[in-house]
Amino acid sequence: MSTRDLVCVAIALIVAGCAAGGRMGQSTRVETPNLGQPAAASDIVAWDISVGPDGVGLPPGGGTAAKGAAVYEQKCQACHGAKGAGQPNDRLVGGQGTLASKTPVRTIGSYWPYATTVFDYVRRAMPYIQPQSLSNDEVYAVTAYLLHLNGIIGEQDEMNAQTLPKVVMPNRDNFIVVYPRRAP
C-alpha cells in the first residue's frame, strides 16, 4: 500500500468515526489500521536530545579543539575534507563576508547563528553513516574544533554545557528571532 493509500484510509476512518460519533445516544468504536505501538516513556527519553539556542538540553561532558582535531580526522574528514574545507560534502569553514555576495558560502563560521545548534546537529545527525554514535565528549570536542577552525574560539577553550551557550557566533544578529527568549 502506498503512502497516499494509507493517508486516504486514515482520512476515511476519521470521517467515518466523526459521522458515527455524531449520532445521538450511540457510542461507537472507531477501528484503526493498528499500525505501530504506543511509545513508552523510556523510548521517548532516548530520542529527546534536542538542544535549544539558549543551551537548554546540553548534556554533561566537554571537549577542546585540540581533542576535537583527532575525532574530526577519524570520523568527519572523509566527508567534509581536511580542516573542514569541504568535498565531497559541505564546507564547514570559511565564507565570512560572503553572505551578501552573489556567491554566498554558508558555513558554521559565516552563517550559523548559535554554537549550541552546531552541537545539536553534530550530535543528532553525524557522522552521516552512523548518526548518534559520538559520545557527548566527542561532540563537544568536534564542535570546539569547528568553532576554532572558523576563528571563533581558541584551541584550548573548553566547550561544555556552561561555555557553549556563551559563544557569540559572527552571524548571530542577522537572524530574525521567532522563538520566545527565556529570562536569564
Side-chain angles (χ1 to χ4, degrees):
M1 205 177 242
S2 73
T3 303
R4 183 173 184 221
D5 293 336
L6 287 173
V7 170
C8 290
V9 168
I11 291 171
L13 289 170
I14 292 168
V15 170
C18 290
R23 296 188 194 129
M24 297 296 288
Q26 292 182 351
S27 66
T28 61
R29 180 170 177 234
V30 177
E31 292 293 322
T32 64
N34 199 24
L35 299 174
Q37 61 188 19
S42 60
D43 295 333
I44 294 169
V45 168
W47 284 92
D48 187 15
I49 61 170
S50 295
V51 175
D54 57 3
V56 170
L58 282 168
T64 63
K67 292 177 183 175
V71 177
Y72 181 89
E73 187 176 311
Q74 292 173 351
K75 301 184 179 190
C76 311
Q77 186 168 301
C79 291
H80 294 287
K83 296 187 177 184
Q87 298 302 321
N89 293 326
D90 293 339
R91 183 176 172 183
L92 303 174
V93 176
Q96 288 85 346
T98 67
L99 294 182
S101 73
K102 290 183 181 184
T103 55
V105 178
R106 292 184 182 106
T107 67
I108 290 168
S110 70
Y111 185 71
W112 286 52
Y114 302 101
T116 55
T117 58
V118 175
F119 178 95
D120 180 76
Y121 185 75
V122 171
R123 180 184 187 201
R124 178 181 308 285
M126 295 292 135
Y128 178 72
I129 57 172
Q130 289 182 301
Q132 297 185 30
S133 64
L134 300 177
S135 71
N136 291 337
D137 289 337
E138 288 175 317
V139 177
Y140 277 116
V142 167
T143 302
Y145 181 65
L146 295 172
L147 294 173
H148 172 66
L149 288 176
N150 280 284
I152 299 168
I153 67 167
E155 187 175 24
Q156 295 304 321
D157 292 344
E158 181 170 345
M159 292 295 103
N160 56 48
Q162 290 72 43
T163 59
L164 192 61
K166 294 176 183 174
V167 172
V168 177
M169 299 296 281
N171 197 40
R172 180 183 215 156
D173 295 333
N174 293 319
F175 281 79
I176 299 170
V177 177
V178 294
Y179 64 91
R181 291 194 184 261
R182 293 188 177 110

